[in-house]
Amino acid sequence: MIKVEQISKSFKDTQILYNISFEIKNGDFVAVMGPSGSGKSTLLYSISGMDSISDGRVLFKGINISEMQENELSRFRLIKMGFVFQNPQMLKNLSIFDNIILPGLVAKKKSADDIRKRALELMKQMEIEGIGERDIREVSGGQLQRASICRAMINNPEILFLDEPTGSLNSAATDQVMAILENLNRDGMTIMTVTHDPRVAAKARKVLYIRDGQIAACKEFSVGVDRERELDKWLKGFHSRA
């Protein structure tokens, strides 16, 4: 689905990413880990077109999105990609339900009735169907993050990008959100998430470890293995070599 070819990113005199290359296939679940300031979020933003790159290119099903004009790229992201952040980007003057349907209304791919129907189906799937009319300040962090996933899914994107989606959640809410993401991936959704939490990363099929703006190592899990145990062992061995 996505092919990243030798991308680099610099800001003023600071180099943030260095000649990074890898692929994301349809149905992949990729987690990006690394120390603070290593370039994890910058990599996600660069791949998704939310941030420009200095060199290289990003191909989305053969389309070079790094050459798109901003208005074309914004439309492309709206239709093809979904985004979930650590702090949900919800509008305070809208209800939960209206926040969820907003990207669908902007995209105008379907009728308003179909968009509302899609939102209700997603909210039921995420087990938050009873909070639609509430203000975003009247729900828990876990409920708000599940609403963010509904909003990211409203236009049936081909990939979900998540930046520390459980970073501000407690353990119970984290488990709920990750169970949802696992189910979405099992149903065919391609996912890329940035996380510092090994429990979250262990849900992925592939883990990229970023250090100093480069992919220092990659871990792919075999079917049926204890991912948390394998990841813990890998990270300990990787850190011991650092």
Side-chain angles (χ1 to χ4, degrees):
M1 176 182 287
I2 295 179
K3 189 172 185 180
V4 179
E5 297 182 341
Q6 297 290 309
I7 68 167
S8 296
K9 169 69 179 178
S10 58
F11 180 73
K12 296 183 178 179
D13 296 327
T14 303
Q15 190 80 12
I16 304 172
L17 301 176
Y18 297 83
N19 299 320
I20 289 180
S21 298
F22 67 96
E23 294 184 5
I24 300 175
K25 298 178 181 179
N26 283 319
D28 267 355
F29 192 155
V30 179
V32 182
M33 301 188 75
S36 297
S38 59
K40 302 187 299 296
S41 294
T42 300
L43 178 63
L44 184 145
Y45 297 150
S46 297
I47 292 170
S48 63
M50 292 183 68
D51 202 355
S52 61
I53 57 177
S54 304
D55 292 295
R57 62 179 188 166
V58 178
L59 302 177
F60 190 105
K61 292 190 171 179
I63 299 172
N64 187 355
I65 67 172
S66 42
E67 289 184 346
M68 287 183 176
Q69 297 297 317
E70 183 54 40
N71 59 343
E72 181 186 11
L73 184 55
S74 294
R75 176 70 182 177
F76 190 88
R77 286 196 303 265
L78 179 66
I79 301 300
K80 300 289 186 180
M81 304 173 184
F83 296 89
V84 180
F85 304 95
Q86 178 175 345
N87 298 309
Q89 306 295 303
M90 297 280 196
L91 297 179
K92 294 180 180 179
N93 61 322
L94 297 181
S95 68
I96 294 290
F97 185 79
D98 287 343
N99 266 289
I100 290 171
I101 66 173
L102 182 59
L105 298 176
V106 173
K108 298 179 180 178
K109 286 177 60 181
K110 296 181 179 180
S111 69
D113 285 343
D114 285 342
I115 293 167
R116 292 188 181 94
K117 182 179 179 181
R118 166 74 171 161
L120 291 172
E121 290 171 349
L122 287 168
M123 293 177 74
K124 184 176 181 180
Q125 182 181 353
M126 307 297 173
E127 299 182 350
I128 55 168
E129 58 266 45
I131 68 168
E133 298 308 312
R134 295 186 193 176
D135 185 281
I136 64 171
R137 291 157 291 195
E138 297 175 339
V139 298
S140 69
Q143 289 173 322
L144 193 58
Q145 199 60 298
R146 281 181 276 167
S148 296
I149 295 173
C150 291
R151 185 183 59 178
M153 293 288 293
I154 195 70
N155 288 327
N156 294 296
E158 297 185 35
I159 184 169
L160 278 182
F161 289 105
L162 305 102
D163 189 7
E164 299 282 7
T166 62
S168 58
L169 303 181
N170 60 31
S171 294
T174 293
D175 290 342
Q176 291 172 350
V177 169
M178 291 314 301
I180 288 167
L181 294 178
E182 281 188 288
N183 288 335
L184 289 173
N185 180 246
R186 195 175 297 119
D187 291 339
M189 176 59 61
T190 306
I191 297 174
M192 179 178 180
T193 184
V194 166
T195 183
H196 68 279
D197 189 342
R199 290 191 310 132
V200 172
K203 303 297 184 183
R205 301 179 187 179
K206 179 190 299 183
V207 179
L208 303 178
Y209 194 91
I210 305 295
R211 187 174 62 189
D212 298 329
Q214 297 176 298
I215 296 178
C218 175
K219 173 70 175 178
E220 294 193 44
F221 294 105
S222 301
V223 177
V225 302
D226 184 335
R227 294 185 183 181
E228 285 195 37
R229 183 176 179 181
E230 286 289 312
L231 181 61
D232 182 64
K233 186 191 304 181
W234 180 69
L235 288 173
K236 285 180 179 177
F238 178 69
H239 290 155
S240 68
R241 296 192 299 269

